[in-house]
Amino acid sequence: MVGSYANGGGGGVRNGAAEGKLDELRRLLGKAEGDPLRIAGVGAGAWGSVFCALLQDAYGRDYRDKAQVRVWRRPGRAVDRATAEHLFEVINSREDVLRRLIRRCAYLKYVEARLGDRTLYADEILRDGFCLNMIDTPLCPLKVVTNLQEAVWDADIVVNGLPSTETREVFEEIGRYWKERINPPIIISLAKGIEASLDPMPRIITPTQMITNATGVPLENILYLGGPNIASEIYNKEYANARICGADKWRVPLSNFLRQPHFIVWDNSDLITHEVMGGLKNVYAIGAGMVAALTNESATSKSVYFSLCTSEMIYITHLLAKEPEKLSGPLLADTYVTLLKGRNAWYGHKLAKGELTLEMGDSIKGKGTIQGVSAVNAFYELLSQGSLSVTHPETKKHVAPVELCPILKTLHKILIKREAGTNSILQAIRDESMYDPRERIEMAQRQSLYRPSLLGLPIGDTKH
């Protein structure tokens, strides 16, 4: 990280390149001298917390007169005893973190919590640099605000770190605080998930669309950032890349502002499709975790699943994009890392092992919201609509697209209908009548599948 120090411990050296990027963005936003750039994170899951910590390390610490970073999270979430004990072990295993807490006179409360003499709260430990969903990776200290209006009312940049299932509700509240604003803020959404709208015609609603509908902020001011990355690894400076997608006005300046030596940010104009793809890979990651658990991590079985699920994903991209080949690289890269280490694959693994049950819901202690569950339902509902019918390659009859996506159908039976056990995912990939993945891809290429209406575009629209 530019000018950073290990997890917020010690002083940094001011960096001319970082200050130049900050000054350029301030200039574009019309910020006067003495008026800091205000960045507010909304939601404090793993990625949302890490993203704000990256900005705090790069700009908020050394240039306090020019940039301020704050994070909103709901108050009152208690840290249980087992987590407090583990957190104490993490603190004492890291000399830099231990010294930092002692220097801030914050160490004693962790001792008391470990002994059961005190209850810690998620917002309290986040101020010290500990995200409840990522205890093993200490961050830099952060300014945490539990009042949503205080967090966002004057923010120049808002980072949406909420799950897609919570985005609409929270931003409807934020919209009420912004009614008197003259200049709309820039919003960077990190959410990977979708909703399905079936009336008057089936279409996908993405988090950026939820935000613009809830707040009235024009879509040109709302961007999506996604990529093949794991939050803890990015904060630990593992090399990673991402794409910021949106209108020309802000995506290039923001890609420059966000870029770090170990975190390369490219830009792309295709906002909605990249956002949808970020949700799609979570669907199939859950199945990957199930297959891994059920086959004792068989490399062969996992590769069979990968081949079949990526062919389904490519098939679905042909429905969503006029030039789907442009999405194949980013989609497969994001899918690969999510299958390797993402929370959705972890969730599928735990379900198949019997260590979690569906009755526990999709908000899991220490992990946050498993967004793939709601995405399974949304994609299944959309692709089940007869109005989107495609030609079946064998019967030559018109069928809903989901009929050509057996893994998606199986995941829906397991996770949503709860009509089948996790073992049924193996039956799906071992079905003797299963298409060669190549045939599904060729079928998608032969047929004219593109349905712009799925993304809310008018029929005949050439955008993608």
Side-chain angles (χ1 to χ4, degrees):
M1 176 60 61
V2 174
S4 70
Y5 49 87
N7 290 316
V13 177
R14 291 176 73 94
N15 182 291
E19 187 169 20
K21 292 193 293 184
L22 175 58
D23 288 343
E24 175 61 14
L25 188 60
R26 285 174 49 83
R27 183 188 67 78
L28 292 172
L29 285 164
K31 301 295 292 184
E33 187 173 350
D35 182 16
L37 176 70
R38 295 176 175 86
I39 302 171
V42 176
W47 186 210
S49 297
V50 162
F51 192 82
C52 289
L54 292 174
L55 294 174
Q56 173 66 16
D57 276 341
Y59 302 111
R61 186 190 72 249
D62 291 334
Y63 310 106
R64 295 176 186 174
D65 56 331
K66 294 184 177 183
Q68 296 177 357
V69 180
R70 55 185 182 253
V71 182
W72 171 81
R73 74 154 293 141
R74 294 181 179 91
R77 175 73 182 274
V79 178
D80 62 48
R81 176 78 178 273
T83 303
E85 290 176 353
H86 180 57
L87 179 55
F88 186 75
E89 293 174 359
V90 171
I91 291 169
N92 284 282
S93 70
R94 293 281 300 270
E95 184 177 353
D96 58 328
V97 176
L98 177 61
R99 288 180 178 277
R100 186 184 81 201
L101 291 173
I102 292 172
R103 191 166 55 247
R104 290 163 58 92
C105 300
Y107 180 65
L108 182 59
K109 65 185 176 186
Y110 293 98
V111 176
E112 293 172 342
R114 187 239 184 260
L115 297 173
D117 296 333
R118 174 178 178 150
T119 298
L120 296 170
Y121 291 91
D123 57 290
E124 176 185 17
I125 66 173
L126 186 60
R127 291 185 178 93
D128 293 327
F130 303 107
C131 171
L132 188 58
N133 292 346
M134 200 176 58
I135 291 296
D136 291 314
T137 304
L139 309 174
C140 63
L142 291 166
K143 179 179 180 180
V144 180
V145 178
T146 56
N147 181 291
L148 184 58
Q149 183 174 8
E150 179 187 348
V152 304
W153 74 275
D154 63 346
D156 300 296
I157 299 174
V158 173
V159 178
N160 175 32
L162 296 164
S164 59
T165 48
E166 298 178 20
T167 294
R168 185 192 305 279
E169 179 184 356
V170 173
F171 275 86
E172 283 176 349
E173 181 178 348
I174 290 173
R176 295 196 289 272
Y177 305 141
W178 285 347
K179 283 184 177 178
E180 306 302 320
R181 284 191 68 138
I182 298 173
N183 297 316
I186 297 169
I187 301 172
I188 302 172
S189 180
L190 310 177
K192 294 180 177 179
I194 67 162
E195 287 183 359
S197 175
L198 305 180
D199 186 34
M201 63 175 57
R203 68 184 183 93
I204 290 168
I205 301 176
T206 66
T208 60
Q209 292 170 325
M210 297 177 203
I211 292 168
T212 191
N213 292 337
T215 63
V217 172
L219 200 57
E220 70 172 10
N221 274 45
I222 307 176
L223 303 99
Y224 165 72
L225 186 135
N229 45 59
I230 301 295
S232 60
E233 293 185 354
I234 290 177
Y235 196 74
N236 287 332
K237 299 179 177 61
E238 295 290 340
Y239 179 84
N241 55 60
R243 280 178 175 79
I244 189 161
C245 305
D248 295 347
K249 182 177 180 181
W250 293 116
R251 74 172 192 273
V252 174
L254 284 172
S255 68
N256 183 55
F257 179 70
L258 298 173
R259 181 180 291 238
Q260 307 294 341
H262 71 287
F263 184 55
I264 305 304
V265 181
W266 298 311
D267 68 279
N268 192 287
S269 62
D270 191 353
L271 167 64
I272 302 300
T273 313
H274 275 82
E275 200 175 7
V276 171
M277 295 302 103
L280 181 61
K281 53 89 180 178
N282 286 335
V283 168
Y284 292 95
I286 295 177
M290 293 177 182
V291 170
L294 294 168
T295 63
N296 196 28
E297 302 292 338
S298 163
T300 301
S301 294
K302 288 192 288 187
S303 67
V304 168
Y305 178 82
F306 186 76
S307 175
L308 293 168
C309 81
T310 51
S311 75
E312 280 192 24
M313 295 169 76
I314 290 169
Y315 180 81
I316 293 170
T317 63
H318 278 74
L319 291 162
L320 299 171
K322 191 173 182 63
E323 297 178 316
E325 62 278 359
K326 291 184 177 181
L327 296 169
S328 58
L331 174 59
L332 292 177
D334 208 357
T335 301
Y336 180 69
V337 75
T338 304
L339 267 56
L340 284 176
K341 203 173 179 181
R343 75 181 73 175
N344 289 277
W346 173 89
Y347 177 73
H349 195 281
K350 294 293 185 182
L351 282 178
K353 287 290 189 182
E355 296 171 16
L356 292 175
T357 66
L358 293 172
E359 288 69 28
M360 294 178 177
D362 58 2
S363 183
I364 306 298
K365 170 189 165 186
K367 289 291 182 179
T369 301
I370 309 300
Q371 298 194 106
V373 177
S374 61
V376 165
N377 194 41
F379 278 106
Y380 180 89
E381 284 190 337
L382 283 164
L383 301 180
S384 296
Q385 301 305 304
S387 60
L388 301 173
S389 64
V390 297
T391 303
H392 193 285
E394 292 182 351
T395 66
K396 306 303 180 185
K397 293 182 179 179
H398 291 292
V399 297
V402 76
E403 296 303 321
L404 300 176
C405 300
I407 294 177
L408 176 58
K409 287 180 67 177
T410 301
L411 289 169
H412 188 262
K413 286 180 181 178
I414 297 170
L415 298 169
I416 308 302
K417 288 188 172 182
R418 304 186 182 183
E419 295 176 348
T422 53
N423 273 298
S424 60
I425 196 72
L426 293 184
Q427 297 169 16
I429 68 172
R430 293 170 178 172
D431 187 344
E432 292 184 8
S433 63
M434 178 73 77
Y435 293 113
D436 182 331
R438 175 185 56 81
E439 293 178 1
R440 183 178 287 104
I441 295 171
E442 289 179 352
M443 179 173 55
Q445 293 170 339
R446 285 195 306 268
Q447 296 187 31
S448 178
L449 296 181
Y450 178 45
R451 302 289 191 275
S453 60
L454 272 174
L455 299 183
L457 301 173
I459 296 173
D461 198 301
T462 58
K463 296 176 184 178
H464 53 275

